[in-house]
Amino acid sequence: MNGTAAPAGIVITELSGIETGDGPLRGLRLAVKDNIDVAGAPTTGGSRIFGHEPALATAPTVAALATAGARPVAKVNLHEFAYGVSSDNPWHGRVPNPRFPDRIPGGSSGGSAAAIAAGIAELALGTDTAGSIRIPAACTGVVGLRPRNGSLDLAGVQPLCPSFDTVGPMAASVSLVAEAWRALSEGASSPGGPLARAGAAGGRQGDLAGGGGRAPLRVGVCGDPDPAALGILEGLGVQTVRVELPLDEIEAAFWPAFRAEIARAHQATYPRLAGEYDPNVAAKLAGTQGIPLERYRASRERLAALRERLLGEWRRLGAVAVVSPVLGIPLPRVGEREEDYRDLLGLYAVPASALDLAALAVGDLQIMARSEREALDLGIALERAGLTPVAPRLG
């Protein structure tokens, strides 16, 4: 890591000597969340239960970035087993927030976000099941992409909730996240549509504003996103329309399926090794037990119906994306109890996970879209027009 000592609590294992390619990410340092395998290094999942033997193979997501030239330099800390939003880890240290030292870094990919914010790496990989890339991106002022389920090969990634688990890139800018996504997806989501072209024109009212008989693009607005970001959208000629997400209904449908899958993912170690878990995580696992198949199936069916309803509303409004905050409350202080804020912190992050949407966090601004390309295109247009990662509210 260029001989610079990393702040305590971020790095679990330093990496070196990994072969890389000569691609567009050449020379960029890569931090890997420690629930993703790198051959020869342990994968702890942020726990003391796993990581006693090194991984035998490198996860395809890591390999794709290394082939594109990124150099893995560290396995980084997380909320134990990726199940929490504080990244306060009793075994590997509390992850700091380099931008706001008296506040939490978010989670569960807190170490990935902190590695970017602290300058340990230019790129990071995180996982996102219910907001775990976007929440720490918002808390630390970086950028992170949650791809849709099934977009990438999750081999070599410790499962939390397999139907909702995703892996995505994090960086200090949308453009670098887009480069990483291009490498991860082999160009399938290379940004280059009308949104990106308009942004390349210097943020002027180009393709976004319509013209030539075409209607201007429309973007939904949910919650109270940053006014400056909305001003940049308007400057690009985008029409905004108010969108209300049924947040309570989405969460009520989501949590039974989420918890049922987590219980099955941990059934080999919980409750048998309950005393070896972080007590914070063990308490959550206790709440996942006993969800029957019928309730799980009903939860998945409700989510599918909600997704169709939401996308139908977007089509009716002509919205190509929806912007919102990521965080539902001001950024909590270090030392506050996670159970007191965890549900509200990711209030606006859960819908994209529950309804299988792509979602890009530019700090505390979230762009939800039907595809990664649509989210990245709008993010690039905004960035080229002057948007930087939106700071979280501190309260």
Side-chain angles (χ1 to χ4, degrees):
M1 296 184 295
N2 295 342
T4 302
I10 298 177
V11 174
I12 292 179
T13 304
E14 292 191 17
L15 303 173
S16 63
I18 297 172
E19 185 176 351
T20 63
D22 192 30
L25 304 179
R26 183 177 63 253
L28 298 180
R29 295 166 297 170
L30 172 65
V32 180
K33 187 175 181 179
D34 200 24
N35 61 347
I36 305 172
D37 285 348
V38 176
T43 301
T44 70
S47 75
R48 63 178 178 181
I49 296 174
F50 295 117
H52 303 294
E53 296 287 346
L56 299 176
T58 295
T61 47
V62 178
L65 295 178
T67 298
R71 178 168 58 92
V73 296
K75 302 289 293 294
V76 291
N77 203 357
L78 62 150
H79 203 110
E80 187 186 63
F81 290 120
Y83 197 10
V85 299
S86 73
S87 297
D88 190 353
N89 190 301
W91 322 123
H92 303 286
R94 173 182 288 157
V95 177
N97 186 332
R99 297 280 170 82
F100 306 101
D102 65 334
R103 308 291 173 135
I104 67 164
S108 64
S109 305
S112 300
I116 300 297
I120 294 169
E122 289 78 32
L123 287 172
L125 276 177
T127 61
D128 190 314
T129 305
S132 285
I133 286 173
R134 293 160 288 147
I135 292 169
C139 292
T140 62
V142 302
V143 179
L145 175 68
R146 179 221 182 261
R148 290 165 294 167
N149 303 124
S151 300
L152 300 174
D153 186 348
L154 297 190
V157 179
Q158 287 183 348
L160 174 67
C161 183
S163 295
F164 302 98
D165 291 341
T166 61
V167 172
M170 305 177 76
S173 68
V174 179
S175 58
L176 189 48
V177 165
E179 284 287 348
W181 177 249
R182 184 180 291 113
L184 287 165
S185 61
E186 298 181 334
S189 294
S190 172
L195 290 164
R197 290 197 298 272
R204 295 187 294 272
Q205 294 184 8
D207 290 324
L208 298 183
R214 291 177 291 109
L217 289 175
R218 305 185 84 190
V219 169
V221 177
C222 177
D224 55 347
D226 180 60
L230 294 181
I232 294 173
L233 264 181
E234 293 170 0
L236 289 169
V238 173
Q239 288 186 354
T240 58
V241 58
R242 193 74 194 171
V243 171
E244 298 299 333
L245 293 177
L247 299 174
D248 290 343
E249 190 176 358
I250 291 170
E251 291 204 4
F254 177 60
W255 294 126
F258 174 85
R259 290 172 180 141
E261 291 199 12
I262 290 174
R264 276 72 178 175
H266 279 264
Q267 63 184 336
T269 51
Y270 185 90
R272 182 173 63 88
L273 298 177
E276 298 298 307
Y277 280 80
D278 175 358
N280 168 277
V281 174
K284 293 172 192 166
L285 283 168
T288 69
Q289 307 298 294
I291 297 173
L293 176 61
E294 295 76 14
R295 190 178 178 203
Y296 171 76
R297 287 176 172 168
S299 174
R300 296 300 302 270
E301 288 170 3
R302 288 179 66 193
L303 290 174
L306 281 166
R307 184 177 194 276
E308 287 305 306
R309 193 174 96 197
L310 177 69
L311 292 181
E313 178 69 4
W314 287 17
R315 287 190 292 269
R316 185 185 69 79
L317 296 171
V320 299
V322 170
V323 298
S324 74
V326 176
L327 308 179
I329 56 174
L331 189 52
R333 295 182 182 276
V334 170
E336 293 185 38
R337 300 193 318 159
E338 193 234 17
E339 53 266 41
D340 291 339
Y341 59 72
R342 63 184 176 223
D343 291 338
L344 288 175
L345 189 67
L347 180 68
Y348 294 101
V350 168
S353 295
L355 305 181
D356 195 18
L357 301 169
L360 177 72
V362 188
D364 194 20
L365 179 76
Q366 178 173 235
I367 302 170
M368 292 180 285
R370 298 173 185 84
S371 71
E372 296 78 18
R373 176 168 184 158
E374 289 172 312
L376 286 166
D377 279 357
L378 184 53
I380 286 174
L382 288 166
E383 184 172 83
R384 288 174 173 166
L387 181 71
T388 57
V390 172
R393 292 173 293 151
L394 298 181

